[in-house]
Amino acid sequence: KNEVEQSPQNLTAQEGEFITINCSYSVGISALHWLQQHPGGGIVSLFMLSSGKKKHGRLIATINIQEKHSSLHITASHPRDSAVYICAVSIGGGADGLTFGKGTHLIIQP
Amino acid sequence: ETGVTQSPTHLIKTRGQQVTLRCSSQSGHNTVSWYQQALGQGPQFIFQYYREEENGRGNFPPRFSGLQFPNYSSELNVNALELDDSALYLCASSSGTTFFQSSEAFFGQGTRLTVV
């Protein structure tokens, strides 16, 4: 069983829809990262969370440490949001790098 | 623009050969980690360096080795290449001792290695 599970694996939505991507993890963590990966491979860090909620533009990330669950929300989605969204966690002291989920492939249709 | 540059972007090698991949991080980013991402999968942690010392390693064999230099550049070396080593290799850097101390992880664009 993966230590980090994401859902859904694939999501296709219409422009303007509210998007939610979920991440659950099974171990104690120091921090959780939400990352965006575009075709070609480059990864961009969106958020790092250790508690609560963060907002940046149309993106909102929340984490519930007790329930070992985090969500990434996109409001007023746009085709340029189409990408793979990856949840990754730092376990323990962080010397084990990041442990990644398999990603959610999001397509926003015009 | 993340300030992390990887080279080369693409590489084709033959099984059994050796390869060196390079990563240049932002000034002041003392921590760098390397990841292998197979097609359709999430990245897998290979190892991490802090100030030129390896301080963490994932489940990869010893033929995967690395170096970090004082100028914030680093290398991933893979000996005796196997077909299954074909993947996207990513490096990521941050300030602080380990990632959890950093506000953000900065990733390079990756090197796509194909072993034939």
Side-chain angles (χ1 to χ4, degrees), chain A residues 35-106:
Chain A
L35 309 165
Q36 181 191 57
Q37 186 171 33
H38 282 282
I43 290 179
V44 175
S45 175
L46 300 175
F47 297 103
M48 191 192 90
L49 296 162
S50 54
S51 65
K53 174 181 175 179
K54 288 189 177 180
K55 184 176 188 293
H56 184 247
R58 296 181 293 106
L59 301 177
I60 302 167
T62 64
I63 188 168
N64 186 317
I65 296 294
Q66 287 74 29
E67 295 187 2
K68 294 186 170 61
H69 181 269
S70 175
S71 293
L72 176 68
H73 305 285
I74 304 175
T75 62
S77 59
H78 189 276
R80 66 175 174 264
D81 297 325
S82 298
V84 177
Y85 292 84
I86 304 173
C87 169
V89 299
S90 294
I91 298 171
D96 294 329
L98 295 173
T99 300
F100 292 76
K102 291 187 176 181
T104 295
H105 189 192
L106 174 66

Side-chain angles (χ1 to χ4, degrees), chain A residues 30-31 33 35 37 40-48 54 86 90 92-103, chain B residues 2 33 35 37 40-45 48 55-57 88 90 98-100 102-110 112:
Chain A
S30 304
H33 298 251
L35 309 165
Q37 186 171 33
I43 290 179
V44 175
S45 175
L46 300 175
F47 297 103
M48 191 192 90
K54 288 189 177 180
I86 304 173
S90 294
D96 294 329
L98 295 173
T99 300
F100 292 76
K102 291 187 176 181
Chain B
T2 65
S33 56
Y35 301 87
Q37 186 177 24
Q41 302 294 316
Q44 298 289 315
F45 174 63
Q48 178 169 289
N55 72 344
R57 190 174 183 91
L88 180 70
L90 295 157
T98 56
F99 270 94
F100 88 96
S102 171
S103 61
E104 203 169 353
F106 295 87
F107 285 82
Q109 290 290 314
R112 188 162 299 280

Side-chain angles (χ1 to χ4, degrees), chain B residues 25-31 50-51 68 70-72 93-96:
Chain B
S25 304
Q26 294 185 33
S27 177
H29 278 198
N30 294 308
T31 299
Y50 174 70
R51 291 189 171 176
Q68 186 186 25
N71 65 351
Y72 305 105
S93 71
S94 74
S95 57

